[in-house]
Amino acid sequence: MVRVPARGQEMTFEVSRRSLLKGMVGAVAAAGLPHSTRAEGPVVKSDVFSVLVDIPRCIGCRACMRGCQRANDLDAPQDLMDMEHLESRLEPTHNLWTVVNREGVETRRHVKRQCMHCLEPACVSVCPVAALHQTEAGPVLYRESRCIGCRYCMVACPFDVPRFEWNNGLTPVIGKCQFCASQRLFKGLPPGCVEACPTGALKFGRRDEMLFEAKARVHARPDVYVPHVFGEEEVGGTSWLYISDVPFEKLGFKKNLPKRPLPSLTWDVVSWIPGIVAVLGSLFGLLAFNLSRKTHSPSAPKDEA
């Protein structure tokens, strides 16, 4: 497992039961923690590291998965990481940080999934020990040495990304894409998956450049691409951006994700707590006062015969 050293500092909206649960988890975690463990604020959205995923260009070779393993010294079995085994569906694990699978029913496409590196990450806001933190350059990094295994990050993530090392009973860790930050990005190199892609389905750069590129491709080929860049606004924006020729919801992407960052929803819940406590305290105080008066009041005089 890679240990990443600290670098830098570190809608229509439909509320589902899961979103509410995420908010409650965040509220409980955030309300009981020192301020220093919470997210330190949004990064500059236009300037963070970013990757554009052009789904129609992906041929499903899974070279990006092998590139991720090499770049991060991971040890997941690689016997299924090729085109011949595309029918074998792979799921992310603590040591398999990106996967490519065939998605869709009527029209199938190869879709790469990994941590989206949200611009305002919910996993960072709920982590009670700052094991997850966001650098000024955008990548959301995991520090194994700080993790206590609470798994709040798994509940809070809107994309179900962090994976727990369930088969390790002594020192389990969380596994997620680190954006090759310490191994490559901070050395001026692109992520291992981008470098390994043979078709240009992955392109690396600053987010404003990738967003411009995404919109240009969509505008140039309206007969091919759906008019939407996934990740531009979802949960406040993500560093990984997708364009597609098939509606995203038909490829397994979540619909109705809020445009607001999830940490802001968390703080909405947290902000209710003082008011709720004050109201409940007043009600209980009034109830106790009334009970006390009844207990000490003289008995009513009896009627004379």
Side-chain angles (χ1 to χ4, degrees):
M1 183 58 59
V2 178
R3 291 177 170 82
V4 180
R7 183 183 179 90
Q9 292 184 341
E10 43 157 347
M11 320 189 224
T12 302
F13 171 40
E14 298 178 7
V15 178
S16 65
R17 288 193 302 172
R18 184 175 180 80
S19 297
L20 181 60
L21 177 60
K22 292 175 187 298
M24 293 174 64
V25 169
V28 171
L33 297 172
H35 181 72
S36 60
T37 65
R38 298 171 188 155
E40 298 184 7
V43 299
V44 179
K45 293 184 178 182
S46 62
D47 200 38
V48 299
F49 290 127
S50 177
V51 173
L52 171 61
V53 184
D54 193 329
I55 291 177
R57 294 190 182 188
C58 181
I59 59 174
C61 64
R62 288 178 168 171
C64 55
M65 296 176 60
R66 300 190 297 275
C68 174
Q69 293 287 306
R70 289 193 300 271
N72 296 286
D73 296 326
L74 299 175
D75 57 358
Q78 298 191 30
D79 52 333
L80 299 180
M81 296 184 191
D82 55 44
M83 295 182 70
E84 296 180 358
H85 297 91
L86 265 178
E87 293 304 324
S88 298
R89 186 175 184 82
L90 298 175
E91 296 294 335
T93 66
H94 72 279
N95 62 352
L96 183 58
W97 296 348
T98 183
V99 295
V100 175
N101 287 308
R102 280 179 175 159
E103 304 287 359
V105 178
E106 298 175 357
T107 305
R108 306 191 74 186
R109 291 289 181 267
H110 307 113
V111 179
K112 180 182 185 300
R113 298 188 189 279
Q114 70 295 306
C115 174
M116 297 290 284
H117 294 274
C118 301
L119 301 184
E120 295 187 45
C123 59
V124 172
S125 71
V126 301
C127 183
V129 292
L132 286 155
H133 76 118
Q134 184 180 36
T135 71
E136 292 179 340
V140 179
L141 305 183
Y142 168 71
R143 293 179 287 199
E144 174 188 336
S145 59
R146 292 194 176 195
C147 184
I148 58 174
C150 66
R151 302 191 291 277
Y152 283 166
C153 56
M154 298 174 64
V155 178
C157 177
F159 302 105
D160 304 321
V161 168
R163 299 302 166 107
F164 189 68
E165 188 181 15
W166 294 102
N167 59 355
N168 185 341
L170 297 177
T171 56
V173 297
I174 291 290
K176 65 172 281 303
C177 166
Q178 304 276 38
F179 222 143
C180 294
S182 61
Q183 292 86 350
R184 299 181 63 85
L185 264 60
F186 296 152
K187 299 175 182 176
L189 300 172
C193 58
V194 175
E195 187 174 75
C197 180
T199 65
L202 304 176
K203 186 171 183 178
F204 172 72
R206 296 291 177 179
R207 190 172 185 270
D208 58 345
E209 299 170 348
M210 295 301 97
L211 191 56
F212 180 84
E213 176 81 17
K215 292 183 176 180
R217 293 185 190 182
V218 171
H219 179 74
R221 299 292 304 276
D223 57 321
V224 173
Y225 294 103
V226 297
H228 179 58
V229 179
F230 190 91
E232 179 182 10
E233 294 183 326
E234 282 78 7
V235 296
T238 61
S239 295
W240 281 69
L241 305 169
Y242 287 75
I243 55 176
S244 174
D245 59 341
V246 177
F248 288 102
E249 62 272 19
K250 294 185 177 181
L251 297 179
F253 288 75
K254 287 188 175 181
K255 293 178 60 178
N256 300 322
L257 288 170
K259 293 183 179 179
R260 286 180 59 189
L262 292 184
S264 69
L265 301 177
T266 297
W267 285 109
D268 282 352
V269 176
V270 172
S271 65
W272 299 340
I273 294 177
I276 293 173
V277 171
V279 171
L280 290 177
S282 299
L283 290 175
F284 282 117
L286 184 62
L287 179 62
F289 176 73
N290 288 334
L291 290 176
S292 176
R293 286 188 59 188
K294 289 183 179 180
T295 302
H296 296 90
S297 63
S299 302
K302 297 181 180 179
D303 295 337
E304 294 183 357

